Amino acid sequence: MALFSSGGAGFRAAKGDLNLESVTKQFANFTAVDDLSLTVPRGSFFALLGPSGCGKTTTLRMVAGLEQPTRGRILIGDTDLTGSRPYERPVNTVFQSYALFPHLTIRDNVSFGPRRRGDSDAGKAAEDALELVQMSSFATRKPAQLSGGQQQRVALARALVNRPEVLLLDEPLGALDLKLRRQMQVELKRIQTEVGLTFIHVTHDQEEAMTMADTVAVMNAGRIEQMGHPEELYDLPRTSFVANFVGQSNLGVGDVTGTDGDNLVVEVAGTTVRIPKARSAVHSGRITFGVRPEKVRISSDQPTGAGNDVKAQVVDVSFTGVATQFLVTVPSGSTWAVYEQNLDVQRNTLRPGDPVWLEWDSGHAFGVEVDEAAAAEAQVAS
Amino acid sequence: MSALAHVGGGTPGAPDDGPPQERGGRSWAPYLLLIPGTIWLLVFFVFPLLQLFTVSLQSGFPGFPGYYYRDVNFGNYLDAITEFAPHFGRSLLYAGLATFFAFVLAYPLAYAMAFKAGKWRNVMMICVIAPFFTSFILRTIAWRQILADNGPVAETLKFLHLLPGGRITETWVAVVAGLTYNFLPFMVLPIYASLERADPKVIEAGGDLYANGLTTFRKVTLPMSLPGVIAGTLLTFIPAAGDYVNAELLGSDRSTKMVGNVIESQFFRVLGGFPTAAALSFTLMAIILAMVFVYIRKFGTEELL
Ligand SMILES: Nc1ncnc2c1ncn2[C@@H]1O[C@H](COP(=O)(O)OP(=O)(O)OP(=O)(O)O)[C@@H](O)[C@H]1O
Ligand SMILES: [Mg+2]
């Protein structure tokens, strides 16, 4: 049966949202992906962000069918794809290591997929895809004769040419220079919106994830820590891991001492701060208070506003053109970062060692659960 | 092993062969490094070959068997080829069959070693190489026992009525089996080397791009291992075509002799046979060279399928 069927046989033309239901993947007794559930709406751009080894590639491989989940189900629309072979799925992968066919020319690499599906216009489709990634002039070369970035673009073309229901991109732009990367980001986004494909994009580059994706999921140790629209994710992290992984955060561990209207009153190392209840994941006991560096204002005089200020000392000043970045020591002993846009006519006169006051709008503050492991680490370090 | 796998003209996907480079300036180092090899080739290959060539053109002294004089007698070639044409045919046929069977046996074995063996890989490797620790003459004699008329194999086949001729030894089957057995490792090792170097992700990419198992094998895995296959077939076919031990020990005196047997007997047993033996050697070499040339031209650069 399967032995003599052609490439197209067994193909499942599933359409719809991609659904992962409690997917778990274990290698021996190591859990690479841990009870992961998510829905990626059809035609959306979904970014997976996370540190190295957190299970991003493993997740993609399970969607592609290159790895079978230990538990859980994978569906596109109503079609359960769990257990089906890779060639049966309307899914294509841009491999992290490119994985181009070394014995085939660039053109034959790209037309490989369309040919297997019996596309009579495979050659033309390949030409178009190569055009898209600006690789047309290399069509007759072999992969070994291309640079890393060029190979990466061919890998992109080889997957894109199939217009799959779900396209999996495993760090597809990692080897490109900044200019080409920006260009490819725009191209990818254009293709994705034009053709309405579902993209799952793994990247280490937060900015890339933020600018391109409709939804960003932050993964850590095989689990999704938080998932949401990029702005939402940046504005209101729900765990201290996300607060640190997506952008920078100034954090301090304290205790909830009471409430004041819609705010929680929190005592952090002798300083009283306020967090809107709606912006806090914890409402009593120990809490990690956080505020983004650009939300903090720095001044040499005590502000007259109500409450959300703290005395600190400048440790370092670095001028970056558009902004000045300060590192300051707060009473708890930890170091905070503060970004000030260079709006004033007067130049900044603050120098390391100067006492300063920090101030922020309490509406920007957020509260997350104390990461005990990280806190213990900090304890040991101090 | 990698040197073997390169015989077929290099692997297309090896990461180390980057874009072609141009070198400025001229360096003598490569030529200096070539000197020892060139001397070796001159002393141990070119000179003996020239000597053999002159012998192949000698004529025998009439009336004094075993004595020769220098001559340019191409008639030796004509006589040798016409008289021993069947032996040439058998040599090429048996070597071709042995190469085919060795390939059929070796490919799955090499594939299993490269992709499926896991921790057993080294054990399998030892099993492939271990026979080299004993003389192949001894092993071939052992096969004579195994295939003997009242040995286990022949008895079983006779019992199942699958042996119409009644015996295995003294037939071409035994000779081809012996050749296949003796040269199998030379087929396994280069194929294994090229498969082992293939990136499993590339094979996965075949599946990801809608090719089922068989298509992925035909379009991706096999072409990627082609350099190994070419090296293996050459390393099997060439020595098998010149072999005489298997035909001597497993074959019959009349119907299964190969060119190697004729050369051996002309050199060592037939008085006045030197020019014939030399002419046969040269003819065999020319035939093999021509075949290898055509083969590499056909498969070495292009896709096999
Ligand atoms: N075949 C395997 N056998 C055993 N462990 C594996 C296997 N594949 C992956 N792992 C482990 O699973 C974890 C997740 O791997 P994965 O490749 O998904 O990471 P990743 O998030 O893609 O990392 P990176 O950003 O570095 O590519 C890693 O700790 C890895 O060592
Ligand atoms: Mg990865």
Side-chain angles (χ1 to χ4, degrees):
Chain A
M1 15 136 280
L3 200 63
F4 295 106
S5 58
S6 76
F11 180 73
R12 311 211 187 160
K15 284 193 184 340
D17 302 348
L18 172 69
N19 258 302
L20 273 67
E21 292 178 359
S22 307
V23 168
T24 298
K25 179 68 192 181
Q26 281 169 329
F27 294 110
N29 46 21
F30 174 78
T31 308
V33 173
D34 192 4
D35 194 27
L36 185 121
S37 296
L38 62 87
T39 300
V40 182
R42 182 161 194 228
S44 68
F45 199 117
F46 186 91
L48 257 183
L49 200 60
S52 185
C54 71
K56 304 182 295 292
T57 298
T58 308
T59 307
L60 292 196
R61 287 173 62 80
M62 287 190 287
V63 175
L66 299 170
E67 211 87 68
Q68 293 296 342
T70 314
R71 278 187 297 282
R73 300 201 306 159
I74 294 170
L75 302 95
I76 292 181
D78 299 326
T79 315
D80 189 346
L81 294 176
T82 323
S84 65
R85 316 294 309 157
Y87 59 85
E88 296 170 339
R89 303 188 184 200
V91 175
N92 286 113
T93 309
V94 179
F95 287 83
Q96 194 167 9
S97 54
Y98 323 142
L100 299 177
F101 304 121
H103 58 288
L104 297 181
T105 62
I106 299 310
R107 183 185 288 115
D108 291 345
N109 260 280
V110 178
S111 63
F112 190 95
R115 267 188 223 292
R116 298 289 87 69
R117 298 178 64 179
D119 182 349
S120 54
D121 250 356
K124 177 77 175 71
E127 295 290 339
D128 292 347
L130 283 173
E131 186 87 36
L132 202 65
V133 296
Q134 304 171 19
M135 288 295 294
S136 304
S137 51
F138 298 91
T140 53
R141 290 214 198 163
K142 293 278 182 76
Q145 297 166 315
L146 299 183
S147 76
Q150 290 168 338
Q151 292 183 38
Q152 196 158 46
R153 281 184 279 161
V154 174
L156 202 56
R158 187 179 68 170
L160 268 177
V161 71
N162 303 295
R163 306 277 183 231
E165 183 66 12
V166 176
L167 185 66
L168 308 174
L169 303 115
D170 201 346
E171 298 183 37
L173 309 176
L176 305 184
D177 63 77
L178 201 63
K179 182 162 169 276
L180 197 54
R181 182 191 287 220
R182 293 281 171 262
Q183 227 170 314
M184 284 294 139
Q185 287 175 358
V186 173
E187 276 306 324
L188 276 181
K189 189 71 193 167
R190 190 180 61 74
I191 295 161
Q192 189 260 333
T193 36
E194 255 176 33
V195 192
L197 308 177
T198 308
F199 274 36
I200 303 192
H201 185 120
V202 164
T203 175
H204 277 135
D205 181 350
Q206 314 180 9
E207 204 185 315
E208 189 171 293
M210 298 289 225
T211 52
M212 298 178 79
D214 306 312
T215 309
V216 176
V218 179
M219 247 184 120
N220 183 28
R223 293 171 163 278
I224 289 189
E225 290 261 335
Q226 190 177 346
M227 194 158 85
H229 190 270
E231 270 173 44
E232 187 185 307
L233 205 68
Y234 184 83
D235 182 55
L236 188 56
R238 303 307 280 186
T239 70
S240 58
F241 177 83
V242 176
N244 277 320
F245 196 81
V246 180
Q248 250 183 307
S249 294
N250 296 315
L251 301 178
V253 177
D255 294 287
V256 179
T257 55
T259 56
D260 167 16
D262 286 340
N263 291 323
L264 293 175
V265 179
V266 175
E267 191 86 10
V268 181
T271 309
T272 306
V273 294
R274 283 174 173 72
I275 306 172
K277 278 182 191 163
R279 292 179 58 86
S280 185
V282 200
H283 291 102
S284 62
R286 303 248 296 156
I287 187 170
T288 297
F289 160 86
V291 63
R292 297 288 189 183
E294 75 282 2
K295 304 284 169 28
V296 180
R297 285 185 297 274
I298 197 166
S299 60
S300 19
D301 316 311
Q302 178 157 23
T304 48
N308 289 301
D309 51 44
V310 61
K311 203 165 166 23
Q313 194 173 33
V314 178
V315 188
D316 186 55
V317 182
S318 42
F319 177 74
T320 62
V322 261
T324 304
Q325 180 180 347
F326 299 91
L327 290 181
V328 299
T329 314
V330 291
S332 68
S334 54
T335 304
W336 279 22
V338 179
Y339 301 149
E340 290 286 291
Q341 280 219 297
N342 297 326
L343 293 170
D344 298 337
V345 176
Q346 267 181 328
R347 288 221 217 127
N348 160 58
T349 52
L350 293 172
R351 289 289 163 261
D354 292 351
V356 287
W357 289 90
L358 305 179
E359 186 203 10
W360 59 90
D361 185 334
S362 66
H364 287 308
F366 57 85
V368 294
E369 207 173 302
V370 177
D371 183 345
E372 296 296 348
E377 222 166 85
Q379 207 81 59
V380 172
S382 62
Chain B
M1 266 336 297
S2 63
L4 286 182
H6 271 295
V7 172
T11 42
D16 51 343
D17 47 18
Q21 297 174 352
E22 281 189 36
R23 288 267 175 87
R26 175 185 291 243
S27 164
W28 290 103
Y31 299 102
L32 288 175
L33 289 171
L34 276 176
I35 289 175
T38 311
I39 292 175
W40 195 91
L41 268 183
L42 279 175
V43 172
F44 295 106
F45 183 65
V46 178
F47 291 150
L49 210 62
L50 287 174
Q51 168 67 16
L52 194 66
F53 189 60
T54 54
V55 169
S56 76
L57 297 175
Q58 284 173 346
S59 295
F61 256 103
F64 293 91
Y67 290 83
Y68 311 93
Y69 63 91
R70 225 169 255 290
D71 197 359
V72 189
N73 184 359
F74 281 101
N76 287 340
Y77 281 82
L78 202 63
D79 294 347
I81 293 167
T82 43
E83 191 179 348
F84 298 109
H87 298 82
F88 275 110
R90 275 197 288 270
S91 270
L92 299 179
L93 180 67
Y94 293 174
L97 284 172
T99 306
F100 173 75
F101 288 122
F103 172 75
V104 169
L105 290 172
Y107 204 98
L109 180 60
Y111 188 92
M113 278 166 68
F115 297 121
K116 308 281 177 198
K119 59 180 172 164
W120 295 102
R121 181 187 282 198
N122 289 334
V123 176
M124 289 175 78
M125 179 62 98
I126 289 168
C127 290
V128 170
I129 297 175
F132 285 123
F133 291 113
T134 44
S135 147
F136 85 103
I137 306 253
L138 281 179
R139 282 182 281 122
T140 310
I141 291 173
W143 274 105
R144 198 155 94 169
Q145 311 286 323
I146 297 167
L147 300 177
D149 289 352
N150 35 24
V153 180
E155 289 290 358
T156 310
L157 288 177
K158 267 188 272 188
F159 179 74
L160 296 170
H161 300 285
L162 288 173
L163 204 59
R167 60 191 316 194
I168 305 172
T169 48
E170 309 277 314
T171 68
W172 66 271
V173 177
V175 180
V176 171
L179 288 170
T180 306
Y181 160 79
N182 272 312
F183 294 105
L184 189 63
F186 297 103
M187 186 68 95
V188 174
L189 294 176
I191 295 178
Y192 166 74
S194 66
L195 281 175
E196 200 249 356
R197 248 184 326 179
D199 180 0
K201 294 262 183 332
V202 174
I203 295 165
E204 284 180 348
D208 190 61
L209 293 163
Y210 314 109
N212 61 23
L214 186 68
T215 313
T216 301
F217 177 75
R218 230 159 33 83
K219 296 284 178 185
V220 182
T221 316
L222 187 58
M224 279 208 294
S225 63
L226 203 56
V229 173
I230 291 173
T233 45
L234 292 179
L235 286 175
T236 306
F237 183 82
I238 296 171
D243 184 78
Y244 67 94
V245 171
N246 286 283
E248 188 70 45
L249 296 178
L250 299 170
S252 88
D253 282 345
R254 272 154 278 108
S255 59
T256 67
K257 288 286 189 225
M258 296 165 67
V259 172
N261 304 90
V262 182
I263 295 173
E264 189 256 0
S265 64
Q266 290 286 328
F267 260 122
F268 299 115
R269 279 183 269 216
V270 177
L271 203 55
F274 271 33
T276 312
L280 284 172
S281 301
F282 251 87
T283 311
L284 181 65
M285 200 165 76
I287 292 174
I288 291 177
L289 266 178
M291 290 177 75
V292 167
F293 184 74
V294 171
Y295 179 68
I296 289 182
R297 277 303 282 276
K298 189 149 169 52
F299 296 122
T301 52
E302 292 301 321
E303 257 191 86
L304 185 60
L305 299 167

